[in-house]
Amino acid sequence: MGILKITQNIAPRQTEKKLRIVLIFFKKVLFLRQLKPNYSIMSKLHLHEEAARCLLCHDAPCSKVCQKGNPGRAIRALRFNNDILAAKLFAECSDAELAEAEKACIHYDRPIRIGELAKQVSEKYSQPAELPSLAIDFCGIRCENPFFLASSAVCTNYEMVARAFDAGWAGVFYKTICMQDIHEVSPRFDAVSNEGDSDFFGFRNMEQLSENPTRMDFDILKRLKKDYPSKIVVASIMGQTERQWIILAKMAERAGVDAIELNFSCPQMRLTGMGSDVGQNPELVTFYTAYVKRNVSIPVIPKMTPNITLMSRPATGAYFAGADAISAINTIKSVTMGSRAAVSEKKTVSGYSGRAVKPIALRFILEMAQNPVMKNIQLSGIGGIETWRDALEFIQLGCRNVQVCTSVMQYGYRIIDDLVDGLQGYMLERGVKSLDELVGEELPNFVTPHDLDRSTMVYPKFDHEKCVGCGRCYVSCMDGGHQAIEFDTEKRVPRLLGSRCVGCHLCRLVCPAQAIGVTKRVPKK
């Protein structure tokens, strides 16, 4: 009736062409109404995508309008994959408060849909049981949790580390101390991200070592250990000669630190014979580790460079020299070309970090964990750790603690809340009582490429209730796969051609609606 009424009103005055436009318009309206259920599904699928838009404000305006709940903190929990905590924080807000919180949002584009986020996570809320402990031993030292600050710009003075300890971090690998004069460049950071996006997935730095006088840094470490006796303080040091390594190590031990990290891996030292120059030379790693071990009684932890083909060679040398643990990885030598990377219009090679390097870091951790010669060595994982899930992956490959840098630079010490809560929630869900149960549990699942099953395959499975008809799977399969998908442009649905499908699952990876799952593994035809 609505269509007829409008066409009657315009037909005397409009041309036949305009009539067709109106009819097409209503056809589209009817089509969109048919897709309405899919919108709710999409909304649920993009819960974390909406949370990722949040600016993660300091002193969040959205939280100020709530009496008990904390929408800003809840959204941050979602951002770092801690949905249960987000549900609890949202549940304490009334509907009216959530509406006011959305009005208070200062996002430069459009407000975060706080009400919708709260509604979708509410079903996940349950009263938590007693949470498991995250305490774990590392090099014979009891740590309250596995989360440490990595030796970097996030821990360069007493005040910074003290705030991190107060926030809940278990320990610190303090910024590397040396005997050389350090003069940093300006600017010295660059980020790799989508243009205009502050949420970067890669980070490049030209920072070297601590600029503080040597004695000042050791005084800071002494104060930290005195004021925070339950926290773990590790001195990271770097020498250029045997004598310098020994002097620095003895000064660290006299300062009362718990352990010493040997920085064999900084990729941007301006002096030869330091940093990754040492880490790429197994003999130097062995010798310097042995020198330090003979002169101190506290644990010694060499830090490996990823700028090498086989990390296990220098790591094995460190192991035979008496190393108590290995930490890896430091940043990866890299180049970025943007103007933000220029110093007086000049550029250089420097270190790359952030979430983009995590798979590379995990590969090196796996390499050392699988080395039968080093089976008793303990590992400290570094590289791209942003959420508790990232940390879990390092732990499952054998790490007894993890070090975090880039995500702290981006989001602040406050992320420790989500690291701790998320990992505890995971353990609670699985019934895991001790973090030790998770250490190395995934190692048996890794084999060589030769040992992989090549006689069976898994077909993708299309869920047409979730499918929104974008055709991304079709495009990728046609141009980057095996031409095993047809696309009905009228009904806007894909169809799998089983005779051509090889089970590569490229389609599943590119689907923005997560509408492609898997079937049972079957023998190849």
Side-chain angles (χ1 to χ4, degrees):
M1 290 291 295
I3 296 177
L4 180 61
K5 184 176 181 180
I6 291 177
T7 52
Q8 286 176 342
N9 288 338
I10 66 169
R13 305 188 302 271
Q14 305 295 335
T15 63
E16 184 179 349
K17 181 178 180 180
K18 289 185 178 181
L19 177 60
R20 285 201 302 269
I21 291 175
V22 172
L23 292 173
I24 291 172
F25 168 78
F26 278 98
K27 183 179 179 182
K28 288 184 176 181
V29 169
L30 292 173
F31 176 72
L32 290 174
R33 285 181 176 176
Q34 291 174 352
L35 292 181
K36 187 175 181 180
N38 287 349
Y39 288 148
S40 61
I41 292 171
M42 274 189 67
S43 185
K44 287 186 178 181
L45 290 173
H46 293 299
L47 179 72
H48 295 91
E49 183 177 298
E50 180 66 15
R53 292 181 52 244
C54 179
L55 302 179
L56 301 180
C57 300
H58 170 64
D59 195 25
C62 63
S63 294
K64 289 185 175 182
V65 300
C66 296
Q67 295 294 318
K68 294 182 179 179
N70 191 336
R73 177 68 184 87
I75 296 172
R76 176 156 58 90
L78 282 175
R79 172 66 181 76
F80 294 104
N81 295 325
N82 198 347
D83 295 11
I84 295 177
L85 176 61
K88 178 180 183 297
L89 294 167
F90 276 136
E92 295 175 349
C93 298
S94 66
D95 291 343
E97 286 178 329
L98 290 172
E100 289 300 313
E102 191 164 321
K103 290 180 183 178
C105 178
I106 61 172
H107 197 284
Y108 55 85
D109 182 14
R110 62 187 186 279
I112 304 301
R113 293 177 293 178
I114 296 175
E116 291 184 35
L117 291 179
K119 182 179 179 181
Q120 289 180 27
V121 298
S122 62
E123 61 193 42
K124 301 182 180 183
Y125 176 65
S126 60
Q127 190 66 31
E130 183 179 352
L131 294 173
S133 169
L134 294 183
I136 189 170
D137 288 340
F138 178 67
C139 294
I141 307 166
R142 193 63 169 172
C143 310
E144 64 184 81
N145 64 58
F147 302 112
F148 283 57
L149 297 179
S151 178
S152 65
V154 303
C155 46
T156 63
N157 57 54
Y158 177 90
E159 290 74 17
M160 292 181 75
V161 180
R163 282 192 291 110
F165 284 168
D166 290 337
W169 293 85
V172 60
F173 286 72
Y174 190 77
K175 189 170 184 181
T176 302
I177 305 169
C178 68
M179 303 181 73
Q180 286 71 30
D181 288 331
I182 300 297
H183 301 283
E184 300 287 14
V185 298
S186 174
R188 51 182 175 269
F189 300 137
D190 192 18
V192 180
S193 62
N194 296 322
E195 181 145 2
D197 190 352
S198 62
D199 182 23
F200 45 81
F201 47 82
F203 186 74
R204 192 175 73 89
N205 82 89
M206 292 179 277
E207 191 142 330
Q208 298 183 93
L209 313 180
S210 175
E211 292 185 280
N212 298 333
T214 303
R215 292 190 180 277
M216 178 189 291
D217 275 330
F218 286 120
D219 285 343
I220 289 172
L221 297 181
K222 185 175 182 178
R223 287 175 59 202
L224 284 169
K225 194 60 194 174
K226 178 183 177 182
D227 295 345
Y228 295 90
S230 65
K231 302 292 185 177
I232 312 306
V233 178
V234 181
S236 179
I237 63 173
M238 182 190 295
Q240 193 174 20
T241 64
E242 173 187 348
R243 180 174 176 273
Q244 287 185 5
W245 282 105
I246 294 173
I247 290 174
L248 290 169
K250 287 184 174 180
M251 292 179 73
E253 186 170 38
R254 285 197 297 269
V257 301
D258 296 285
I260 299 172
E261 182 184 67
L262 309 181
N263 189 339
F264 294 144
S265 50
C266 182
Q268 54 259 352
M269 293 307 299
R270 61 188 177 88
L271 300 174
T272 58
M274 299 182 73
S276 59
D277 285 357
V278 176
Q280 293 168 345
N281 187 322
E283 290 185 356
L284 287 179
V285 169
T286 304
F287 292 153
Y288 288 149
T289 303
Y291 296 152
V292 173
K293 280 295 295 182
R294 284 200 296 262
N295 284 276
V296 298
S297 59
I298 56 179
V300 174
I301 309 165
K303 185 175 185 178
M304 297 292 108
T305 176
N307 302 299
I308 191 170
T309 304
L310 292 174
M311 185 179 289
S312 60
R313 289 179 179 174
T316 300
Y319 173 75
F320 282 118
D324 297 275
I326 298 292
S327 58
I329 59 173
N330 208 321
T331 52
I332 301 169
K333 286 189 174 182
S334 62
V335 169
T336 54
M337 299 295 289
S339 59
R340 295 181 301 185
V343 177
S344 299
E345 300 182 357
K346 301 296 181 183
K347 301 173 184 178
T348 190
V349 174
S350 57
Y352 191 60
S353 63
R355 71 181 78 142
V357 310
K358 187 183 71 170
I360 300 171
L362 289 172
R363 170 246 159 165
F364 281 118
I365 291 295
L366 177 66
E367 177 187 324
M368 291 185 290
Q370 289 183 324
N371 187 336
V373 175
M374 297 171 55
K375 61 181 180 180
N376 295 321
I377 199 76
Q378 294 192 5
L379 299 171
S380 177
I382 320 165
I385 297 167
E386 187 170 292
T387 71
W388 64 268
R389 293 185 187 277
D390 300 326
L392 174 65
E393 291 175 4
F394 280 85
I395 293 169
Q396 289 175 321
L397 287 187
C399 293
R400 299 190 69 81
N401 73 23
V402 293
Q403 302 179 40
V404 184
C405 169
T406 303
S407 59
V408 170
M409 296 179 75
Q410 192 170 7
Y411 304 113
Y413 299 134
R414 57 187 177 172
I415 66 171
I416 186 61
D417 296 337
D418 288 296
L419 292 172
V420 169
D421 292 337
L423 189 54
Q424 285 181 319
Y426 172 81
M427 292 171 64
L428 185 65
E429 186 178 357
R430 279 190 53 186
V432 175
K433 297 181 179 179
S434 169
L435 200 56
D436 284 281
E437 297 178 42
L438 301 178
V439 177
E441 69 171 353
E442 281 291 329
L443 289 174
N445 295 326
F446 280 86
V447 297
T448 65
H450 174 76
D451 295 324
L452 290 174
D453 178 6
R454 299 177 184 274
S455 62
T456 62
M457 67 177 289
V458 178
Y459 286 99
K461 181 180 180 180
F462 293 84
D463 185 339
H464 293 293
E465 290 298 315
K466 291 183 179 180
C467 178
V468 296
C470 67
R472 284 284 303 280
C473 56
Y474 168 74
V475 172
S476 292
C477 186
M478 285 297 292
D479 299 350
H482 292 79
Q483 301 79 54
I485 295 177
E486 287 183 340
F487 188 72
D488 187 327
T489 55
E490 288 294 323
K491 296 181 179 180
R492 302 203 66 82
V493 291
R495 186 174 72 88
L496 184 69
L497 302 177
S499 61
R500 292 186 178 181
C501 181
V502 299
C504 72
H505 288 262
L506 174 62
C507 57
R508 188 157 60 103
L509 296 179
V510 303
C511 177
Q514 300 178 23
I516 303 178
V518 297
T519 59
K520 293 182 179 180
R521 182 171 292 276
V522 296
K524 288 183 178 179
K525 296 180 180 179

